[in-house]
Amino acid sequence: IFMAKKETAVQAKKKNKWVKKRHARVFAFLRFAMAPFARLRYNYRAVHSDVKAPCLILANHQTTMDPFWVSKSFRFPIYFITSDDIFNLKISPVIEYLVAPIPKSKSLTDLKAVKDILRVLKEGGSVGVFPEGNRTISGRQWEITDAVAKLAKAAKVPVVLYNLCGGYGTDPRWGTGIRRGNRYSGFVKRVLSPEECAAMSVEELYETIKTELYVDDVEAGGRYKSRRRAQYIERALYLCPKCGGVDTFVSRGRQFRCSKCGAEAEYTETMRISPPIAGYDRIAPWYEWERGEIVRRVAEGERVGDSGILFRESVKFERKKKLPGNAVAIDRENLYVEGEGEKQVYPLKDIVSLTMVGKKKFNFYYEGKILQIKGDERFCAIKYVHIFDGLRAAGKANIENKES
């Protein structure tokens, strides 16, 4: 009886393990099956690494396919941190069974996700994290917090710093279609031993991670061809630096034009804006300018909005629930969803977080719910993120100034 109970306990422990043998078989199959697609469709090449599991892999984030591309450099399964939306698909249970991603709510401090990461590492598995938490939309590094350095210290395993180069040129988040050009590649940039991580302060390790993961495809001088290379650039460039119009740009093919002042330019094969508009010949500096400018204007009383949206509630492992509302707006106090004679008001101070999802959606976290705004093909979700984050940062700065 004692032996039977002991055997049952061992079986239960094995059953409850996150890391399972089938995951290794799935990843081995995917590396083989995805190779022709990666090479022919994306012109992607991965440099193989001799790093062994367990380890914590940190990579920059350029495209939807990045988890597949990172995995091709290693001979073991990687358990990636995954956002809420992955768990709202019809095939979500299948994905969970085959590759067991670690769920995390975007832009939120998720202690359960951290516990799950440490659990996987303890079981001998390797974890993949994109510290930016979001794919780049400007081509430059999204904000990274020092939480990733704290995680690297707590992991007590080798920390692999991985670079993806060429993804923004090949498949920019705001765009449509794959561009052909310079090779899209992935490789290990640096490996930090547990001893190296322990010897660094959190600040030193944080700066090291940010520096090693920094990639800018425009600075690298690549060329990427497409007949529609400017299509939907207004998903990233929502504010005209010449006339100040909001959502006035309309793109078509290689060109985009402001419908208010007539400013017009081409998005070139070298990812430049030609001729420059108000001095901006690249997306990244324009993007940084508009981020600050839109916050200033909204803080002074301007209201920004869009019509033709779909409003939904997102629940894990269930289909999204459609909610009433076909227009969204934001000012310095509230986020509004309107339509069908109703107006729903969400005070910004009560919204926990607001984050961009995919190309034309954003989620906001309110009273324990994940609510989602999905726009049309030209909808710019990032401006809402800029406004929310900017106002919140300004509010915290004011409080700190008053306290000091």
Side-chain angles (χ1 to χ4, degrees), residues 387-398:
I387 293 167
F388 178 84
D389 287 348
L391 291 174
R392 177 150 295 186
K396 287 181 180 178
N398 289 337

Side-chain angles (χ1 to χ4, degrees), residues 93-284:
V94 177
I95 294 173
E96 186 179 34
Y97 177 81
L98 294 176
V99 296
I102 300 171
K104 181 187 181 301
S105 294
K106 280 193 173 185
S107 297
L108 293 175
T109 302
D110 195 330
L111 294 178
K112 185 179 184 306
V114 174
K115 290 179 181 178
D116 288 340
I117 290 170
L118 298 179
R119 173 184 169 184
V120 170
L121 293 173
K122 187 176 181 180
E123 291 179 11
S126 293
V127 175
V129 179
F130 298 102
E132 294 161 278
N134 232 315
R135 287 174 284 151
T136 178
I137 194 167
S138 71
R140 286 184 182 167
Q141 192 176 74
W142 199 290
E143 288 80 2
I144 297 176
T145 71
D146 63 359
V148 69
K150 296 173 184 176
L151 174 63
K153 278 181 163 291
K156 294 181 172 57
V157 295
V159 176
V160 180
L161 301 174
Y162 192 93
N163 280 182
L164 289 158
C165 302
Y168 185 75
T170 302
D171 184 16
R173 184 175 185 177
W174 49 262
T176 183
I178 304 303
R179 294 102 197 279
R180 300 295 295 179
N182 288 52
R183 180 169 292 178
Y184 179 13
S185 62
F187 56 90
V188 173
K189 178 75 176 295
R190 183 176 174 182
V191 179
L192 299 173
S193 68
E195 293 75 22
E196 286 180 284
C197 292
M200 294 184 192
S201 66
V202 170
E203 293 74 18
E204 289 171 333
L205 184 53
Y206 173 54
E207 290 302 324
T208 298
I209 291 170
K210 285 202 301 179
T211 300
E212 297 293 354
L213 295 187
Y214 182 85
V215 172
D216 189 326
D217 286 352
V218 182
E219 290 178 359
R223 299 183 72 93
Y224 300 88
K225 298 180 180 180
S226 171
R227 294 178 181 177
R228 298 185 294 168
R229 55 179 179 261
Q231 196 76 25
Y232 304 135
I233 200 170
E234 58 267 43
R235 291 172 179 168
L237 304 179
Y238 55 84
L239 197 59
C240 179
K242 189 173 179 181
C243 69
V246 180
D247 292 327
T248 54
F249 279 102
V250 179
S251 60
R252 184 173 182 179
R254 302 167 185 171
Q255 310 283 330
F256 63 105
R257 182 178 184 275
C258 176
S259 60
K260 185 177 179 180
C261 70
E264 186 173 5
E266 176 187 356
Y267 185 66
T268 71
E269 292 180 0
T270 58
M271 297 172 283
R272 302 276 179 175
I273 295 167
S274 180
I277 296 179
Y280 291 106
D281 69 344
R282 292 182 54 181
I283 288 177

